[in-house]
Amino acid sequence: MAGTTQESIESRTVGHQDEGQPNAQQRRFLDELAAGLRIGQIAEDEATRTTYSADQGPLLERHLPLAVVWAESVEDVQVIVRQCATYRVPIVSRGAGTGVSGGAHATRGCIVLSLERMNRILDLNPDDETAVVEPGVINAELNAAAAEYGLMYAPDPASYKISTIGGNVATNAGGLRCAKYGVTRDSVLALDVVLADGSLLHTGHQTFKGVAGYDLTALLVGSEGTLGIVVGVTVRLKYLPREVHTIAAFYKDFRSAAAGVLAVGKARVQPAIMELLDNGTLVQLDELNGSDLQTRGKSLLLIQTDGFGAAAEAAVVRQVLADGGATVTMEASEEAEMLVELRRNSRGVEVDDEFRVGEDIAVPRSRLVDFVAELEAMAARFNVRLKVVAHAGDGNLHPTFWMDRVDPATDAGALMRLNAALDESIRVGLEMGGTITGEHGVGQYKLRWLGLEQPEPVRELQRRIKELFDPAGILNPGKAI
């Protein structure tokens, strides 16, 4: 998962800030809000508020929302937003809470608006190759429905089995298939959005092409709930591949594997999936799953080709990688699926006896080898451990620096080194023409680096856009920009 700091560890273990009971105005707001909803749509108990107070991102400071509210229809969302606008109560909208940048962390005095109950597939048109869904539809469930018609929803974040389409839209989520099919924005045709005054806006079109006016749909995708609340999504579906071939290429080191990524590109083959795992990741996967990946090499390049030309493309890839010194195997389908699933779960989990800081940096593919070398040098320089997984097809890396927790005296120094390594990785990635986030979003946690990537005139323009959409500033304040 994303990075862990001293503040996030403490906030997860010692509880939340004591913000007391609602004041008179807040109490009046909550009572009026409840009056406009059905029984079971609002909760104020501490356990529920705590559960919904954060996503999976690092916590700098935990706040409990005034209440958790579940919308079950577009009209519900409009009622809730209008009530919040009247009382100027912040709204943090939330899907499944699988984000790792703090985009769904509660802010002081807010309500958390859960969209998980809005989970219907409203239309699936196999002739138009489109689907219209509510925001709470699970990514995997849409894929299962589309598969019945030989179609698929291409974006596949690692959390696809539990993440929602609305959450994917909010963060412009990526995933393993990005190399060929792009990120969420590339599959979204139209949106239904409730604005900060409670009005309903439809953007986009039902057609694959459409260039009338400014592209508000693209603007809203990835806006992390700061411009409006997505209540409907029209997506483009792709053809479900008839044939899939998976290639595992084991290398003596990570940098050689990274060079293999460029070699495949020069061969002008377009894999659907191109994932890179270093030795630290292979060791962890073997420990967790009883596999023997690390005995076969120190780094793994996992490539999947799909479609009617999958076999021909795979043959080219195998030859290119073997020429580059890799031990290449064409895995049987069962092991291929196992390797892909292991990769989906290769970020690891936060445990009590380790400190971790991890990120979501993307660099131009031509600098992939250079950046990997810099990461390894950073780990040695700051005396921390490193593991890296990467969507190598588009240059998006997830480096994680970590160190075993020993005792309070050494922990402080470890945290300083870990965060210094993280900051250095951000700086170097930007110098190489990269970005602070390839797919996870800025959220709350990455705001400290945003100014390093975007100059002030760009940030000011974004603030003005935010003010136009949300003049009272009630939509997910303190996130994304």
Side-chain angles (χ1 to χ4, degrees):
M1 61 175 291
T4 301
T5 63
Q6 180 68 56
E7 291 88 350
S8 69
I9 291 169
E10 289 178 352
S11 61
R12 291 190 188 278
T13 56
V14 304
H16 59 86
Q17 286 196 340
D18 182 5
E19 296 174 17
Q21 296 298 312
N23 59 36
Q25 182 172 342
Q26 290 170 332
R27 182 72 266 159
R28 186 163 55 253
F29 159 76
L30 291 170
D31 290 343
E32 292 181 11
L33 181 61
L37 300 170
R38 290 170 290 282
I39 294 175
Q41 285 190 267
I42 185 168
E44 296 182 45
D45 63 282
E46 184 171 341
T48 302
R49 290 187 296 135
T50 299
T51 298
Y52 282 80
S53 65
D55 59 25
Q56 295 182 12
L59 272 165
L60 303 179
E61 184 177 77
R62 186 188 288 274
H63 295 285
L64 294 193
L66 295 174
V68 178
V69 185
W70 290 270
E72 297 175 356
S73 66
V74 174
E75 292 75 20
D76 282 349
V77 176
Q78 291 182 283
V79 167
I80 293 163
V81 171
R82 285 169 181 151
Q83 191 70 21
C84 289
T86 298
Y87 282 88
R88 297 212 168 193
V89 171
I91 306 168
V92 176
S93 53
R94 171 189 171 102
T98 58
V100 292
S101 295
H105 286 352
T107 53
R108 186 182 296 275
C110 78
I111 65 160
V112 167
L113 172 58
S114 173
L115 301 166
E116 61 191 309
R117 295 182 186 175
M118 295 179 64
N119 57 5
R120 296 177 301 160
I121 298 175
L122 301 174
D123 180 60
L124 202 160
N125 189 319
D127 293 326
D128 287 341
E129 299 163 16
T130 61
V132 181
V133 303
E134 292 183 322
V137 170
I138 301 297
N139 184 297
E141 293 176 357
L142 175 56
N143 258 305
E148 296 181 15
Y149 302 95
L151 299 167
M152 69 175 182
Y153 177 61
D156 67 331
S159 57
Y160 77 104
K161 291 181 180 179
I162 57 174
S163 66
T164 65
I165 300 298
N168 294 170
V169 169
T171 59
N172 194 22
L176 273 65
R177 290 195 291 244
C178 284
K180 183 173 184 177
Y181 296 103
V183 294
T184 298
R185 182 178 285 119
D186 299 306
S187 290
V188 175
L189 298 174
L191 293 172
D192 296 303
V193 182
V194 173
L195 300 178
D197 62 358
S199 61
L200 182 63
L201 177 73
H202 180 81
T203 71
H205 34 76
Q206 304 297 116
T207 56
F208 294 164
K209 295 171 69 176
V211 295
Y214 294 145
D215 193 346
L216 296 181
T217 304
L219 173 64
L220 288 161
V221 176
S223 62
E224 303 187 46
T226 62
L227 301 180
I229 298 172
V230 172
V231 293
V233 188
T234 301
V235 299
R236 178 178 183 175
L237 302 174
K238 301 288 187 178
Y239 302 133
L240 190 66
R242 295 292 183 92
E243 190 174 356
V244 175
H245 285 259
T246 301
I247 303 156
F250 289 90
Y251 288 83
K252 63 181 180 179
D253 58 51
F254 194 43
R255 273 177 271 183
S256 298
V261 173
L262 297 181
V264 171
K266 289 177 181 177
R268 298 303 183 244
V269 175
Q270 180 59 75
I273 291 175
M274 184 181 287
E275 299 295 309
L276 190 56
L277 292 76
D278 75 345
N279 187 62
T281 303
L282 298 184
V283 169
Q284 183 184 61
L285 287 175
D286 285 346
E287 291 175 350
L288 292 174
N289 300 284
S291 51
D292 65 347
L293 299 176
Q294 61 184 307
T295 67
R296 301 159 71 178
K298 297 299 183 184
S299 185
L300 169 62
L301 180 56
L302 182 62
I303 294 178
Q304 198 170 85
T305 59
D306 69 2
F308 287 108
E313 290 180 329
V316 173
V317 170
R318 290 185 72 193
Q319 187 62 54
V320 166
L321 299 184
D323 290 345
T327 301
V328 185
T329 59
M330 182 71 81
E331 306 294 350
S333 59
E334 184 176 345
E335 184 172 11
E337 194 60 34
M338 179 271 292
L339 287 172
V340 171
E341 285 305 307
L342 288 182
R343 164 61 188 96
R344 290 186 189 279
N345 295 286
S346 61
R347 292 295 305 279
V349 294
E350 182 178 321
V351 293
D352 291 337
D353 62 347
E354 293 182 0
F355 286 163
R356 301 171 179 271
V357 288
E359 259 316 310
D360 168 42
I361 303 165
V363 297
R365 285 206 325 176
S366 62
R367 302 305 305 272
L368 193 61
V369 176
D370 298 332
F371 190 58
V372 168
E374 289 284 352
L375 289 172
E376 292 176 339
M378 290 173 209
R381 186 163 65 251
F382 291 103
N383 189 25
V384 296
R385 298 164 74 182
L386 171 71
K387 73 181 185 73
V388 182
V389 295
H391 304 303
D394 52 23
N396 187 190
L397 301 97
H398 300 302
T400 300
F401 299 104
W402 89 97
M403 191 170 184
D404 293 334
R405 178 184 258 177
V406 182
D407 57 60
T410 58
D411 284 352
L415 284 167
M416 289 180 63
R417 295 201 306 278
L418 285 169
N419 281 287
L422 179 59
D423 288 339
E424 179 74 358
S425 71
I426 296 291
R427 183 188 65 78
V428 171
L430 289 173
E431 286 181 352
M432 291 185 178
T435 177
I436 63 175
T437 174
E439 61 183 4
H440 293 164
V442 174
Q444 184 184 74
Y445 187 64
K446 299 190 183 88
L447 284 174
R448 57 176 168 155
W449 298 312
L450 188 58
L452 300 177
E453 177 172 340
Q454 296 185 335
E456 182 54 30
V458 172
R459 298 190 69 186
E460 174 59 23
L461 182 59
Q462 292 176 92
R463 287 190 287 266
R464 289 165 62 187
I465 293 171
K466 162 71 170 173
E467 185 176 1
L468 178 65
F469 275 82
D470 179 23
I474 64 170
L475 298 179
N476 210 12
K479 315 287 178 57
I481 63 168

